[in-house]
Structure formats: structure tokens, C-alpha cells
Amino acid sequence: MDKKRRSAAWYGKLDRDGFIHRSWMKNQGYPDHAFDGRPIIGICNTWSELTPCNSGLRDLAEKVKRGVWEAGGVPVEFPVMSLGETQMRPTAMLFRNLLAMDVEESIRAYGIDGVVLLGGCDKTTPGQLMGAASVDLPTIVVSSGPMLNGKWRGQDIGSGTDVWKFSEAVRAGEMSIQEFMAAESGMSRSKGVCMTMGTASTMASLVEAMGLSLPTNAALPAVDARREALAHLTGRRIVEMVAEDLKLSKVLTRQSFENAIIANAAVGGSTNAVMHLLAIAGRAEIELALEDFELGAEIPLLVNCMPSGKYLMEDFCYAGGMPVVINRLAEKLRPANTVLGIDICAYGEGAECFNDDVIFTLDKPFKPAAGLRVLKGNLAPKGAIIKPSAASEHLLQHEGEAYVFENIEDLKANIDRDDLEVDASTILVLKGCGPKGYPGMPEVGNMPIPRRLVEQGIKDMVRVSDARMSGTAFGTVVLHVAPEANAGGPLALVETGDRIRLDAKAGLLELLVDDAELAKRRADWLPEESRYTRGYAKLYIDHVMQADRGADLDFLVGKDTQPVTRESH
Ligand code: FES
């Protein structure tokens, strides 16, 4: 028995504690040699039928186990909370930090030496990485993989992105309800995550760009047999990582976060990546600020995938996937270690592109300089973001009158009123949808265009809120305004008729109201009383930090890598 190995403290003792730890595990049929000192590998699984995107993970866990046994380890699968983005209310983001707590405490409390994270749907990957970073064992990721391309009436359709388009078409009278409902079955044809470059595929792509999984993990379709082989190989690799003591902190470095920011720009990744990377960095005790995302501002868009382009993840896979992107970004990437113990550039070396219309080059990009822009100004003293690649070029510098919705109920009740006083130049403002406000910061920042403007053919307007936006959505949408309205940010003071100036190119978001008037409004402002007075939601509201800190809970920042004390037996 390797006494330095973590599991030795559970299974290596010849005393009463060792007896209890081994004996109860043996009720599952483990033979004596399972506890002779070989590495115990945790498989942290977010499988759930309530998270359809992760419903293939039970099968993948079996393939990981094959690899672990083959390499001389002992696999032990354990469940953690699963977050089904399309199924949870009020919003899955409310529970990301709860999943992270579950992951952290599950890993720490058990006698495992390394962990394989099985996640996929939007919040599961970041929640698992946050929790794992706070424990810092050798860690590797296997993602669910994307669904096959959606198909409807001979066309490819993309999860999320086409839902927004279809629902706008219904509102404009261009699509019938029957057609709308018929598209549902064609959109989700297989197990897996959304097959656009939404948050799930963005996070899986960034996992690969940070070297946290084996190459090709992001884009292989969920139902492709090669994903099963990748899971098998991942099981083998985690056993080697334990032998090499290749902890998560040796892969998660400042450089790997910078690479994630660069890769996020190159793939046209989700705005949600900002929140998640900030939160993971906080757990890993790495200095990362909202301003660091400007690193991506000059990186061109290489990947032609929805919502910024036209293809889907299946096409991205067949074109070569993330290894090609990493290869083509090599001159921009920072030297950084990977789970293979080699530099990220070596990890992508030799990758061939099989479709230049899906993955472009730095010299001839799909779109120039398309990374996220960080906005600052008196309307967002702690920042806000916008995704120019999903916005309308002519609105990126725009000044207009605000039309304010005080909360989501106000928006839903009034957006389609025939007498709504808005035109194409109006800036729609939504309050009450930040981390504390909703609570959980839902993906409602891409407010619908008012019906009377949709009927005039208006497809985009400037929208400003403290909410997030789905990674599959698009539009000239300013998100994550911090501090949020419910935390007393200047957003709380905006009134209909105020003028707002957005200059995404200069990184500015300004409320053009004089200071004396703002001071008067501030004196009259009262925080809204929360109706959440108990349970996890109360804990969340009392401790959640603002968007510029990744909306983690304040007491969860950092890690605890000390041996567990006060053993239970
Ligand atoms: Fe799960 Fe999109 S809803 S990945």
C-alpha cells in the first residue's frame, strides 16, 4: 500500500476503521485485492433523467470503469446533484453553487485518489469544476457530448438558437403553432447537450482548451462510439495521473484561464463562460478579473457554428473539432500544462481540418475580432458584457431612450402591448434578474422584441439587464450589469425616458442622467424584500457575489486541501 496515497487513510489500515471502510465496500462484491493499495478513482456523475442532456452519462461511466480497471485502479461511481437547464425552476443557475458544494464535499469526504467528472448540461460542467478545484485531486473531465444535428423539413436546426427564431416567427405570424410544435421532435433527435455552440458546448470546448479532458472531448456527438472509447481512455489516464500526482492545480493555472478566454473568442462561445470561468478561478485561487476577458477582444472568430454562424457541433466534430482550433490558435496560446502532462500546443499538434468552411484560420477568419467585450461606465461600475459576434453591427454604438421593465413579470405582461411607446431606437431595460434579484440570474437578457416592432420587421434592438443570456441566443444584448438592481446598482435608478449610451467598441455603457438627479433617485430607492426566507435560496441570496465575481457564494471561494480529520469510525 502506498501510504502517501489518499485512499490509504481509508482502506490501508489494519485496525477497526480499516475493517469498516473495506468491509462495507465489499458488500458490492469487491475482492480483497481492490484494497491492496491500487488507486481508488471516483466517477462523479451528474446522470439524471431530469437532465436529458446528461442522460447518456450512465453508459459512459461504465466505459470509464473499463479503463480504470484496465490500468490497475478501482472505479467507484457516485451521484451528485444534476442540473437540467431546460427543466429547473426558477433557474438552473441558482443551483450551480449547490452542485459545486455537493461535488466538493463528496470528493473530500470519501477515500478516493482521483476523480473523473461526468457532466454536460450548462451548469454541470462549471459546478463540477468549481467543487473539484476546491479539493484539488487529480481530475479529468468526460462530457456528455452534443446531440446530433437537429433536422426539420430537410433543414438543419439548432437547439436554442432556432427556438428563439421560431418563437419570433410565431409572434410575427410567419409560422403556425402546428409547425412550431412539429419542430420540437426534430430538434432533439438523440441524447446529448444542445448541439449549437451554447453554454454546454462552450464549456466543453474550454475544458479542452484548458487541457482538462482528452482531445476531441468537446465535439464528438453523444451517441458516437468514439465517445465511449474516449471515456475508456479517460479511465486509463486518470489512473496514470494519480501515479504522476498530476493534481488539478497543475493544469488549472492562470495561463490555462487565459487560453480559455482566447478559445472562447475563437469558437464564438457563450457569455456564460465569463461567469463560470470567474467562479472556477476563485475556487482555484487564481487572480482573474472581468477585465481579463478583454484578452479575447482581438481574437478572430474561427468557428462557424450557431449562434454566431451556421453549422452545428456535429459538423464541428467532423471538421476536426477543438484540436484543430487549438492548433490554429497555437501562436496566441500561453504555455500551459494539460491532463496529458504535455503543453497545450503539443496537445493540439498535428490536428487536421477537414472542412475549412466550419473552422477558419487566423489569417482568414470567419469574423474578425469577435471576442466578448467588457463594458464599464456609470450604469455598470463593476462591469457588464456584450457578445459582438451575436449582435448587429449598426447597434454596437448606439444612443437611445430607455424603456424600463421593473422585473420579469412587468416584461411578460407588457412587452406585446399595442400601445407600448417604443421604436427601433429604444433601449429596452430589464431589472430584477441578477443573482439576488430573480434569484439565480436567469437567461432572460435577450428580451423579446416588442410585437408591434416585430410586425414592422425589426429583428434586433439594444437590450440592457442584470440577467444572463442563453449561449444559444443572439442580439445586441448587454448582460451581467453589475452591481445588479437588487443590490442597489445604478441599474435600479434607470427610468423610462432616460437616455443611455452604448459604445461596445470603446467599452462604455452610460446612463446620461446628471448626478444630482441620480442622487435624488438613490435617496428614494428602497431594496425589495426577498420572498425567499428559508432553505438554500435564502443561503444563496445572503451570500451570492455579483456577476463580476462569477456569482459564487462568498464563503466558497478558495480551497481546502488538508487531510480530512475526525474520521467517522
Ligand atoms: Fe442542457 Fe442545452 S439544455 S445543454
Side-chain angles (χ1 to χ4, degrees):
M1 164 80 59
D2 182 346
K3 295 282 179 205
K4 291 197 296 295
R5 200 161 273 159
R6 193 171 181 271
S7 58
W10 275 257
Y11 304 112
K13 293 181 177 172
L14 300 178
D15 57 7
R16 189 190 63 170
D17 285 351
F19 179 104
I20 291 169
H21 290 313
R22 287 185 299 272
S23 176
W24 264 257
M25 288 296 277
K26 283 181 177 179
N27 83 358
Q28 300 174 89
Y30 289 108
D32 287 343
H33 72 260
F35 304 107
D36 67 0
R38 57 194 73 208
I40 308 289
I41 304 298
I43 301 174
C44 174
N45 202 343
T46 53
W47 171 90
S48 166
E49 288 178 343
L50 286 169
T51 307
C53 314
N54 292 10
S55 62
L57 290 177
R58 198 152 60 170
D59 295 337
L60 285 182
E62 293 306 317
K63 304 304 181 295
V64 174
K65 288 177 192 172
R66 285 185 190 174
V68 172
W69 283 119
E70 190 179 54
V74 177
V76 282
E77 183 183 354
F78 61 95
V80 286
M81 185 180 192
S82 192
L83 310 178
E85 188 68 25
T86 52
Q87 313 297 317
M88 294 188 95
R89 292 182 180 178
T91 171
M93 182 65 176
L94 176 63
F95 304 107
R96 182 201 62 180
N97 301 339
L98 184 58
L99 165 63
M101 289 169 85
D102 185 355
V103 170
E104 174 181 347
E105 302 304 344
S106 295
I107 295 174
R108 184 180 294 115
Y110 288 111
I112 57 180
D113 300 302
V115 63
V116 181
L117 304 177
L118 297 191
C121 193
D122 294 14
K123 307 302 176 292
T124 54
T125 303
Q128 285 183 301
L129 280 170
M130 288 161 68
S134 288
V135 193
D136 198 19
L137 301 188
T139 303
I140 191 167
V141 175
V142 176
S143 303
S144 301
M147 290 188 262
L148 296 174
N149 285 5
K151 297 278 179 189
W152 186 62
R153 294 193 163 182
Q155 303 273 321
D156 278 358
I157 56 171
S159 1
T161 305
D162 278 307
V163 180
W164 316 128
K165 288 186 177 155
F166 291 163
S167 64
E168 289 296 294
V170 170
R171 294 171 74 238
E174 296 161 1
M175 187 180 197
S176 72
I177 285 289
Q178 289 72 23
E179 289 172 321
F180 184 66
M181 292 182 68
E184 287 173 9
S185 312
M187 184 164 283
S188 307
R189 298 190 301 127
S190 77
K191 289 186 176 22
V193 300
C194 295
M195 83 307 270
T196 43
M197 189 58 82
T199 305
S201 288
T202 296
M203 291 311 296
S205 298
L206 303 194
V207 156
E208 210 170 316
M210 296 171 96
L212 290 167
S213 68
L214 295 186
T216 72
N217 171 63
L220 276 173
V223 294
D224 193 313
R226 290 172 293 177
R227 178 164 293 283
E228 297 183 320
L230 181 132
H232 183 131
L233 293 171
T234 302
R236 287 180 59 96
R237 181 60 197 147
I238 187 67
V239 176
E240 294 166 356
M241 287 170 68
V242 170
E244 295 162 15
D245 197 27
L246 185 52
K247 292 190 169 112
L248 187 52
S249 55
K250 294 182 182 169
V251 180
L252 264 190
T253 57
R254 165 84 196 180
Q255 288 82 352
S256 63
F257 280 96
E258 291 184 5
N259 288 341
I261 292 168
I262 290 165
N264 193 43
V267 301
S270 164
T271 48
N272 287 317
V274 177
M275 307 283 296
H276 300 322
L277 290 174
L278 288 169
I280 299 165
R283 299 303 191 92
E285 299 177 351
I286 290 167
E287 292 284 327
L288 192 73
L290 192 57
E291 288 73 10
D292 289 318
F293 285 79
E294 283 292 326
L295 254 182
E298 300 308 319
I299 300 292
L301 182 60
L302 302 189
V303 176
N304 179 8
C305 268
M306 283 187 204
S308 300
K310 69 174 182 182
Y311 291 105
L312 295 166
M313 290 301 288
E314 196 181 336
D315 309 303
F316 182 43
C317 171
Y318 303 151
M322 279 308 288
V324 175
V325 175
I326 291 166
N327 202 11
R328 290 188 167 174
L329 282 174
E331 68 190 71
K332 303 280 183 191
L333 295 177
R334 288 31 178 169
N337 198 10
T338 65
V339 289
L340 293 178
I342 57 174
D343 183 74
I344 188 68
C345 287
Y347 174 101
E349 207 166 62
E352 266 187 273
C353 182
F354 302 107
N355 189 339
D356 287 331
D357 196 42
V358 178
I359 310 175
F360 286 65
T361 61
L362 283 174
D363 294 339
K364 287 199 181 138
F366 175 49
K367 289 184 189 174
L372 303 177
R373 290 308 311 250
V374 176
L375 307 172
K376 284 266 174 92
N378 70 342
L379 186 48
K382 296 210 163 172
I385 57 166
I386 188 166
K387 182 177 180 179
S389 67
S392 302
E393 178 67 27
H394 72 281
L395 290 173
L396 288 173
Q397 288 169 305
H398 178 77
E399 186 181 315
E401 265 187 22
Y403 189 96
V404 176
F405 298 100
E406 292 297 328
N407 50 45
I408 194 74
E409 290 77 20
D410 184 12
L411 174 89
K412 285 181 178 166
N414 294 303
I415 188 79
D416 284 341
R417 255 182 29 221
D418 290 336
D419 61 347
L420 201 72
E421 291 191 6
V422 292
D423 60 31
S425 71
T426 304
I427 295 181
L428 301 180
V429 174
L430 173 62
K431 305 178 185 175
C433 293
K436 290 176 190 289
Y438 195 78
M441 208 179 173
E443 294 181 333
V444 295
N446 55 319
M447 292 161 246
I449 306 295
R451 189 172 56 210
R452 53 182 294 249
L453 299 184
V454 172
E455 286 165 359
Q456 293 166 25
I458 310 290
K459 299 240 184 276
D460 195 11
M461 298 171 75
V462 175
R463 288 157 272 179
V464 176
S465 76
D466 45 15
R468 294 178 303 116
M469 163 172 100
S470 164
T472 61
F474 50 89
T476 311
V477 186
V478 175
L479 303 156
H480 308 186
V481 169
E484 64 176 299
N486 288 58
L491 187 67
L493 309 180
V494 183
E495 295 180 358
T496 293
D498 289 348
R499 291 195 75 74
I500 291 176
R501 182 188 298 138
L502 165 68
D503 187 343
K505 298 192 174 166
L508 283 175
L509 182 66
E510 289 177 322
L511 177 60
L512 305 176
V513 174
D514 66 55
D515 290 346
E517 172 62 18
L518 287 178
K520 186 169 153 298
R521 293 183 195 175
R522 161 91 41 219
D524 293 342
W525 181 78
L526 281 175
E528 195 179 296
E529 213 161 283
S530 173
R531 62 193 175 87
Y532 293 89
T533 55
R534 61 168 298 284
Y536 170 72
K538 172 158 173 51
L539 179 78
Y540 175 91
I541 290 166
D542 289 349
H543 290 280
V544 71
M545 299 185 294
Q546 290 294 289
D548 62 307
R549 303 287 310 278
D552 198 2
L553 303 186
D554 51 12
F555 60 87
L556 293 174
V557 173
K559 57 176 107 167
D560 176 2
T561 58
Q562 297 303 310
V564 182
T565 52
R566 293 184 188 267
E567 286 164 318
S568 54
H569 294 286

